[in-house]
Structures are given as C-alpha cells and as structure tokens.
Amino acid sequence: MDAERAMVFSVDRGRWGCVLDSDPERPIVTMRARELGRTPIVVGDQVDVVGDVSGKPDSLARIVRVADRSTVLRRTADDTDPFERVVVANAEQLFIVVALADPPPRTGFVERAMVAAYVGGLQPILCLTKHDLDAESEFADAFEDLDLTIVYGGIEDPLDPVLDLLTGKLTAFIGHSGVGKSTLVNRLVPDAYRAVGEVSGVGKGRHTSTQSVALPLPDGGGWVVDTPGIRSFGLAHITPDDVIKAFSDLAEAIEDCPRGCTHLGPPADPECALDLLPGKERRVAAIRLLLNAINTNDPWFRGQSSS
Ligand SMILES: Nc1nc2c(ncn2[C@@H]2O[C@H](COP(=O)(O)OP(=O)(O)OP(=O)(O)O)[C@@H](O)[C@H]2O)c(=O)[nH]1
Ligand SMILES: [Mg+2]
Ligand SMILES: [Zn+2]
C-alpha cells in the first residue's frame, strides 16, 4: 500500500493525531509502526502513514516513517539532565511568550529560549502578554542589541501584528505556566477552545495545558503550537560552540580560537577570536549575553522539580 504524507498535530499516550497533506480537513489517529522502535515522534513531524486513513471514529492508521526535520526545538528539564527532549519539529519560529506581570518577566528565560531557538534553526520572537497590567514596562529594552523581533500579544493588544508574523508559518509558543499562551491561541484560532487557567503560585506546579497541540490559523494558513508551561529552559545539551555556530557571521571566526575557548572574552578567554572582528563589538557583546545565560541558572526556578 502506498504511504501518505501527513503532519503530526497532537501526541497523547501512544496515539498521534495527524493531518494528511491530501486532505487537511480530515484529522486521523495513528499509532507508531513497530519497526520505528522508540524513535521520538513529536508535534510538527512530517510522517508517512499507511492503513486506515479514513479518519472515521475508531479508525487507526500507522506511522511508518518520520522524515528528516528542518528544525528541532530541544530542551532538557534542567542543566544537569542528560535526557534531551524534542519539543517541536519543523517549526520555523519560536514565540517566547512572556508576561509583563503576574508572573513577573525574567530576562534569563528569554535568553535561554533564544539560544535553544538559534541552535535548533528557529527564528525567535519575543511575545509580551499582560501589557494591560504593566503598560510602562521597560522589559523589552534588555534585548535591543540582539535584533530580536518583539510583538505584544496581551488581551488588549490588537491581533494584526501577531497574525502578520504567524501567517503561513509553523510557530511554537513556549513560556512559563500562566503567561497566557492558551489565551492568545484562543484569540488566534477561535474554535481552538484551549483551556485557560488561573495563574498558579510559582512552584505550585499547576499547568493548565498538559499536551502540545498544533492548531491551524484560520486565514492564510500556518500553524501555532500551544505547549504546556515550563519552569526552566534546560540547556544541558548545548555548548558555547553550538551557539556561535548558529550565527553565520561569527561561525568561521571561532576556528581561530584556542582549544577549549568558551568565547566569553577576557578575562576568561583572553585570546578569543571574536575580539578580533572589526565592527562587530556590539554584536559580539550581545551574543556573549546569550552565552552567559547558558552558564547561569534561572535562580527563581532553581531547586524546583522539573517539568
Ligand atoms: N490581565 C491579563 N490577563 C491575561 C492576559 N493573558 C492571559 N491572561 C490570564 O492569565 C491566566 C493564564 O492564562 P493561560 O492562557 O491559561 O496561560 P498559559 O500560558 O496557557 O498557561 P499553561 O497552560 O499553564 O502553560 C488566565 O487567567 C488568563 O485570563 C493578558 O494579556 N492580560
Ligand atoms: Mg495553556
Ligand atoms: Zn573564542
């Protein structure tokens, strides 16, 4: 039987929801073919499916192949966790969703998420919510030298600027629990009906959304992936070289660095080749902020059990 190409839009206890390229209006339920072993299959994956692709109640098709991924958003639960999980595959963009208040915003989280985005091949975008609770916030100023696109996605902000960024693309939303990811998704995709929760106290560990789901944008195409809130963005799998190599204008320079260079510059790395790039001083300084974020824990969430 010929396989059909599909995209995974949901994952739940050994069942994957997929949409067929040939008929996106007909969601189907699939299982993993035995020969795939334990290959992770995540939201956004392009897969080949065989079997009953009718989408009728109780029908079950089989995923027989997972295509190579164009981008991979990975994280670990914390910086010592050896287990790396793939959050989303093939997303072009990462919306780093941060509330301006309740819970209060943290630059470290944004920097860490940016590192994961660049290393995984995604374009990071900072999406600020709860603008109504702190209209005067200067939080975004911290990212001025990083060329980070910033958009306001609070309940009282207009949707058009958000839609302009999302249309035609697969975008993953990521952020702490309670920042308003599902609230924004519900505005963007009116029949999404994502559950929305109270802001739970930090460390209480109540997450309203518990599974990642990709939802189709109504006009113009594109998908948004609503993900469960995370406490921290563990980067145990990422080295300073990985980060620099994600920037095409800096990647070559570090071939001239001494062995073991962490690219932070003096005093730690007095001979770092990034300090020899004329006209790049501000850019190098901005990217070193990101490197510093890998070495610094997110203090608020330190010691919390991971999620
Ligand atoms: N004042 C205000 N409240 C908001 C805004 N956006 C979301 N909220 C509220 O914040 C709370 C949490 O919103 P959710 O959308 O459930 O947050 P979430 O990021 O999806 O949380 P998890 O699913 O747990 O990760 C809800 O009570 C929302 O009504 C906003 O822009 N302004
Ligand atoms: Mg949610
Ligand atoms: Zn160096």
Side-chain angles (χ1 to χ4, degrees):
M1 189 191 306
D2 281 347
E4 283 208 53
R5 179 50 66 94
M7 186 191 88
V8 175
F9 71 88
S10 69
V11 181
D12 191 17
R13 286 163 292 180
R15 293 287 182 267
W16 288 264
C18 297
V19 283
L20 297 168
D21 282 9
S22 60
D23 187 359
E25 302 292 308
R26 173 166 40 118
I28 63 169
V29 178
T30 67
M31 59 181 277
R32 186 206 316 256
R34 187 164 303 150
E35 64 262 30
L36 285 181
R38 296 180 63 82
T39 317
I41 306 174
V42 302
V43 169
D45 263 325
Q46 292 285 329
V47 294
D48 289 341
V49 294
V50 299
D52 185 349
V53 296
S54 67
K56 291 193 186 118
D58 299 326
S59 66
L60 189 60
R62 284 190 333 276
I63 297 176
V64 292
R65 201 178 83 85
V66 182
D68 290 343
R69 296 167 175 151
S70 58
T71 73
V72 194
L73 182 67
R74 290 193 171 86
R75 63 179 279 261
T76 57
D78 59 50
D79 286 341
T80 57
D81 176 11
F83 181 69
E84 195 179 293
R85 56 200 93 194
V86 179
V87 185
V88 179
N90 301 317
E92 283 126 315
Q93 305 184 125
L94 180 66
F95 256 42
I96 305 166
V97 185
V98 172
L100 289 170
D102 191 29
R106 310 185 43 76
T107 53
F109 181 85
V110 178
E111 287 157 353
R112 290 172 144 261
M114 285 179 77
V115 167
Y118 284 127
V119 170
L122 296 82
Q123 182 70 38
I125 293 170
L126 177 60
C127 177
L128 297 168
T129 59
K130 310 205 186 185
H131 203 189
D132 52 309
L133 299 183
D134 189 353
E136 307 291 304
S137 173
E138 288 165 6
F139 181 74
D141 297 353
F143 307 102
E144 220 182 285
D145 285 337
L146 281 169
D147 296 329
L148 181 63
T149 302
I150 297 170
V151 69
Y152 288 90
I155 44 175
E156 286 174 16
D157 297 309
L159 269 187
D160 279 351
V162 184
L163 278 168
D164 284 348
L165 291 167
L166 296 175
T167 299
K169 301 210 164 89
L170 175 62
T171 305
F173 284 26
I174 203 140
H176 292 319
S177 187
V179 296
K181 298 178 293 296
S182 299
T183 301
L184 180 57
V185 165
N186 284 341
R187 287 178 71 208
L188 293 162
V189 186
D191 50 7
Y193 306 119
R194 294 290 284 168
V196 164
E198 300 292 304
V199 178
S200 53
V202 169
K204 296 249 178 66
R206 264 208 34 220
H207 303 277
T208 303
S209 308
T210 55
Q211 303 286 346
S212 294
V213 178
L215 297 148
L217 289 163
D219 304 310
W223 294 81
V224 290
V225 182
D226 189 15
T227 67
I230 57 174
R231 292 203 179 94
S232 63
F233 215 113
L235 299 174
H237 54 305
I238 288 175
T239 67
D241 276 22
D242 293 333
V243 178
I244 304 298
K245 283 179 189 154
F247 298 96
S248 55
D249 57 329
L250 305 179
E252 248 178 65
I254 62 167
E255 286 169 18
D256 297 329
C257 286
R259 189 184 294 264
C261 186
T262 60
H263 315 305
L264 289 171
D269 307 295
E271 291 172 69
C272 181
L274 295 180
D275 287 307
L276 306 174
L277 294 174
K280 292 268 182 199
E281 293 78 7
R282 274 184 77 148
R283 180 151 170 82
V284 167
I287 284 155
R288 280 179 174 156
L289 262 185
L290 296 185
L291 285 176
N292 267 311
I294 313 188
N295 297 328
T296 321
N297 269 319
D298 213 348
W300 188 3
F301 297 95
R302 194 180 291 155
Q304 299 289 345
S305 67
S306 55
S307 73

